[in-house]
Amino acid sequence: EPEVTQTPSHQVTQMGQEVILRCVPISNHLYFYWYRQILGQKVEFLVSFYNNEISEKSEIFDDQFSVERPDGSNFTLKIRSTKLEDSAMYFCASRGQVNYEQYFGPGTRLTVT
Amino acid sequence: DAKTTQPTSMDCAEGRAANLPCNHSTISGNEYVYWYRQIHSQGPQYIIHGLKNNETNEMASLIITEDRKSSTLILPHATLRDTAVYYCIVRVVSNTGKLIFGQGTTLQVKP
């Protein structure tokens, strides 16, 4: 069964460093998403991406964040200058054109020290 | 998207049916009811969705009341592996398709 994959599973970085989180969505999906979950809190929407552009973003997704689909398979989330409060699980999701259910990856645990 | 209310936690005996309620009294005509679950910090997993008819798939059944103001997710024979946080999400099907998660119901399946 096709699945969304994410790398790395755990990333530790120092405050102020740039990080890139990588996702490989399901191959025939066209809509892509990033969510995050701070430990013990709700899953929060960050951004949606379709047709090579951002279709919606939340207040959390400020100028420090960017997304890119550099080739036909990867979907990346970049945090330019990490802050302690960026420590969280980051989930990538994708969905197809016909069905609206989203399929989530296993997540990347980002720890900013 | 309409607001949903779910109990914070529930217990269920292994092998019994787990019935998880959700209130969505402000749901509008074009909003669907979706259920996802999250097993211990893994990525959320889609379970089922419906508009007004009851739905069933290999994982669960979804019962939506006639006035659509509430629904129940039924796991017919709960196993220990069904222990998770279950999220009821009401949303318009749109191109953006973002999901807004609440706190959900923590279901503990006990042996």
Side-chain angles (χ1 to χ4, degrees):
Chain A
E1 186 175 315
E3 57 183 21
V4 176
T5 59
Q6 291 185 242
T7 53
S9 56
H10 190 190
Q11 172 95 46
V12 181
T13 189
Q14 288 190 326
M15 199 166 51
Q17 296 296 304
E18 173 184 286
V19 294
I20 297 176
L21 309 183
R22 292 183 166 78
C23 168
V24 178
I26 293 173
S27 63
N28 61 349
H29 283 184
L30 299 176
Y31 297 84
F32 313 111
Y33 307 84
W34 283 101
Y35 295 80
R36 81 171 185 191
Q37 186 175 32
I38 295 170
L39 187 64
Q41 297 188 22
K42 298 186 293 187
V43 176
E44 301 174 288
F45 167 77
L46 291 178
V47 66
S48 58
F49 190 87
Y50 170 71
N51 201 24
N52 281 322
E53 59 183 28
I54 291 173
S55 45
E56 187 173 358
K57 58 184 180 180
S58 71
E59 292 176 355
I60 303 167
F61 194 88
D62 62 21
D63 292 344
Q64 293 299 311
F65 291 88
S66 62
V67 288
E68 195 178 34
R69 189 157 160 80
D71 53 43
S73 59
N74 290 286
F75 179 50
T76 62
L77 174 70
K78 184 195 289 187
I79 309 175
R80 219 176 318 276
S81 177
T82 49
K83 304 191 273 282
L84 293 175
E85 53 264 38
D86 293 328
S87 294
M89 282 288 285
Y90 287 81
F91 297 109
C92 172
S94 69
R95 74 168 176 92
Q97 187 97 15
V98 175
N99 295 319
Y100 286 84
E101 54 263 33
Q102 293 179 26
Y103 294 86
F104 285 75
T108 293
R109 178 170 299 284
L110 176 66
T111 302
V112 182
T113 61
Chain B
D1 295 332
K3 185 175 162 53
T4 62
T5 304
Q6 298 178 251
T8 304
S9 63
M10 293 182 64
D11 289 343
C12 176
E14 189 178 18
R16 305 297 294 267
N19 296 285
L20 292 97
C22 179
N23 284 322
H24 32 79
S25 58
T26 61
I27 193 170
S28 57
N30 61 346
E31 288 182 309
Y32 286 70
V33 180
Y34 279 76
W35 284 84
Y36 283 76
R37 72 180 182 183
Q38 187 177 26
I39 299 172
H40 188 55
S41 296
Q42 296 177 22
Q45 178 190 23
Y46 166 80
I47 302 173
I48 199 167
H49 75 280
L51 182 62
K52 48 187 164 183
N53 297 323
N54 298 337
E55 302 287 345
T56 295
N57 63 20
E58 64 280 1
M59 287 182 70
S61 294
L62 173 61
I63 309 297
I64 302 174
T65 57
E66 198 167 332
D67 63 8
R68 304 207 324 122
K69 293 185 176 182
S70 66
S71 60
T72 302
L73 178 75
I74 301 172
L75 308 178
H77 306 286
T79 70
L80 298 178
R81 288 163 53 177
D82 292 320
T83 293
V85 180
Y86 288 77
Y87 300 99
C88 169
I89 299 170
V90 169
R91 52 181 284 262
V92 176
V93 170
S94 69
N95 286 340
T96 303
K98 69 180 180 186
L99 295 171
I100 304 297
F101 290 84
Q103 298 289 358
T105 296
T106 299
L107 174 69
Q108 182 75 46
V109 180
K110 299 187 171 180

